[in-house]
Amino acid sequence: MRWTRKDLLDLQSLSAEEIVTILDTAREFKAVGQRVIKKVPALRGKTVVNLFVEPSTRTRISFELAAQRLSADVINFTAEASSLKKGETLKDTARNLEALNTDFIVIRHSAAGAPHFLSRVLEAHVVNAGDGAHEHPTQGLLDVFTMREKKGRIAGLNVTILGDILYSRVARSNIWALQKLGARVTLCGPPTLVPQTFEPMGCRVTSHLAEAIADADVVNLLRIQHERQRKTMFPSLGEYTSLFGINRERLACMKPDVLIMHPGPINRGVEVDSDVADGSHSVILEQVTNGLAVRMAVLFLINGGKPFAAASPPAEPDLVAQ
Ligand code: CP
C-alpha cells in the first residue's frame, strides 16, 4: 500500500492494513539495527524535535535514536528549561520550532488531544509519543510487533491486559491495534480501574485474575499510574499486589508459552515480581529493542518512504476486517 498520512496521532484511526504496513516496515528496520553499520540516509537533511512535556526514558531515547539512525538532525526540547515555564502556549512553542524549519515534532503531553491540536496548526509532521490517558500509538505498535514476532500471528491470540486500564494510554492503543488485527482482548484489574465501559470496544472485562490469565497467550502488565489518580482507586498497593500482582505462583497457572509484557517503567513488587519481570517468559527488554525499529518505520513512512511488503506471508492472515 502507499502511505498517505502526514502524522501518526493514534491507532484508532488507522486501518488494519496501515498497521500491518508499519509492522512489516519495522521488521526491515530491525534487520538494519543488526548490521555493523546501523544508519541509513532516509531522513538526511531533516530535523526532528522531541517535544516532551512529560517525563520519559524509553520513548524519548528511542525516538532520538530512531531519528539518528535515519540520519536526521535531532533536538531534544526540555520543557523544564523552556519558555513554557514563562507562560508561552504549546501552539506558540510549536510554531516557533516550525519557524526553525523543523520537519517532525514528536510530542508527549499530559493533555489528551495535544498532538491532534498541533497537527491542525502545523505543516510539520506530528507524532504522538503519548497524550494523557488517550493513546500511545508507537507503544501499541511495538507491543503488537513483539507479539507477532514471537507468536507468528496476531489473529486468534488471547491477550490479557492487566492493571490500571482506566488511566492507560498504552491499553487504549493496544486495544485498537489488537482488535483490528483479530486478537481477543481481556481487560483485568480492580473494577475501579477497569470499568465496564470498555466492553463496547469489544473487550472481555473481568476482575477475576485466574479467569483472565488461564487461557492467555500474552499477559501485558500495566503500571499503577500514581500521577494520574486523583483519588485512591483501591485500598492499598499491598492489596493490589495480593489480588493482581504477577508472581511465580501465578505464572505457573498460565500457559507454558505465555509471553509476559510490560511497557515500563515497572513498579517491581507491585504489578510484577522481579522473578517474573526478569524470567524466561518476559519479553520486556525485547519490547524496548523493537520500539526503535517501530519508531524508525513510523518516521520513515510519514516522511514519504516506500513501505516494505511482508517478506513472507504470516502464519495466519493478520488483515482481519475492522
Ligand atoms: N513505555 C513508556 O512510554 O516509557 P517511558 O515513559 O519511559 O517513555
Side-chain angles (χ1 to χ4, degrees):
M1 69 164 287
R2 227 178 109 247
W3 192 266
T4 55
R5 290 180 188 266
K6 166 183 163 282
D7 307 308
L8 179 71
L9 302 177
D10 54 52
L11 298 187
Q12 180 177 5
S13 63
L14 261 54
S15 68
E17 192 183 6
E18 287 174 309
I19 292 171
V20 170
T21 296
I22 297 173
L23 301 182
D24 288 341
T25 304
R27 185 158 56 185
E28 299 301 319
F29 280 116
K30 186 163 181 182
V32 169
Q34 287 155 355
R35 292 186 201 154
V36 177
I37 296 176
K38 299 175 173 60
K39 248 177 147 159
V40 293
L43 262 62
R44 187 182 289 156
K46 303 283 177 164
T47 303
V48 177
V49 174
N50 284 324
L51 175 49
F52 278 56
V53 190
E54 258 199 348
S56 167
T57 296
R58 280 146 290 271
T59 312
R60 194 192 62 70
I61 290 174
S62 181
F63 267 114
E64 181 176 356
L65 194 51
Q68 287 176 352
R69 292 268 171 95
L70 294 167
S71 304
D73 297 317
V74 189
I75 308 288
N76 288 314
F77 174 94
T78 311
E80 288 302 310
S82 77
S83 291
L84 284 172
K85 286 278 157 199
K86 301 179 198 163
E88 188 168 42
T89 65
L90 179 65
K91 179 179 174 182
D92 283 337
T93 299
R95 292 190 71 192
N96 276 271
L97 295 173
E98 195 172 55
L100 295 166
N101 293 323
T102 294
D103 300 288
F104 295 80
I105 293 195
V106 179
I107 176 168
R108 168 169 291 189
H109 202 283
S110 57
H116 300 69
F117 169 69
L118 286 191
S119 82
R120 291 194 292 274
V121 298
L122 298 180
E123 303 271 315
H125 301 287
V126 177
V127 181
N128 182 359
D131 61 326
H134 174 232
E135 280 220 39
H136 190 346
T138 57
Q139 182 70 46
L141 289 165
L142 77 87
D143 289 344
V144 171
F145 181 96
T146 305
M147 293 177 212
R148 189 188 194 218
E149 183 178 63
K150 291 286 173 189
K151 297 289 184 184
R153 66 196 167 96
I154 297 297
L157 287 183
N158 291 325
V159 179
T160 291
I161 305 175
L162 174 60
D164 185 351
I165 314 286
L166 180 62
Y167 293 96
S168 176
R169 55 194 176 209
V170 175
R172 283 172 180 78
S173 290
N174 265 265
I175 292 166
W176 287 120
L178 289 165
Q179 301 268 12
K180 285 168 195 271
L181 300 185
R184 286 184 290 272
V185 180
T186 297
L187 307 177
C188 180
T192 45
L193 292 181
V194 193
Q196 299 291 327
T197 46
F198 280 91
E199 276 180 343
M201 290 179 81
C203 304
R204 176 173 67 149
V205 175
T206 178
S207 292
H208 298 286
L209 181 67
E211 188 185 301
I213 61 178
D215 64 350
D217 298 296
V218 178
V219 176
N220 199 354
L221 304 171
L222 299 181
R223 183 173 67 91
I224 298 299
Q225 300 192 58
H226 311 287
E227 73 274 24
R228 289 193 213 290
Q229 290 184 222
R230 290 176 182 80
K231 54 182 189 266
T232 307
M233 308 297 276
F234 44 82
S236 69
L237 278 183
E239 177 151 324
Y240 178 86
T241 303
S242 73
L243 291 173
F244 298 103
I246 297 300
N247 52 29
R248 211 184 307 182
E249 291 70 37
R250 287 183 172 144
L251 181 64
C253 301
M254 300 184 200
K255 284 183 164 182
D257 61 348
V258 68
L259 294 184
I260 299 293
M261 301 179 68
H262 194 306
I266 298 171
N267 292 316
R268 286 178 184 265
V270 179
E271 65 264 5
V272 63
D273 274 5
S274 288
D275 281 350
V276 178
D278 304 326
S280 60
H281 292 268
S282 168
V283 291
I284 294 171
L285 292 178
E286 288 176 70
Q287 289 172 255
V288 178
T289 304
N290 292 336
L292 176 58
V294 163
R295 290 174 178 125
M296 287 175 78
V298 167
L299 294 173
F300 173 81
L301 288 171
I302 64 178
N303 188 52
K306 191 167 174 287
F308 290 91
S312 54
E316 283 186 30
D318 269 342
L319 296 176
V320 173
Q322 294 182 58

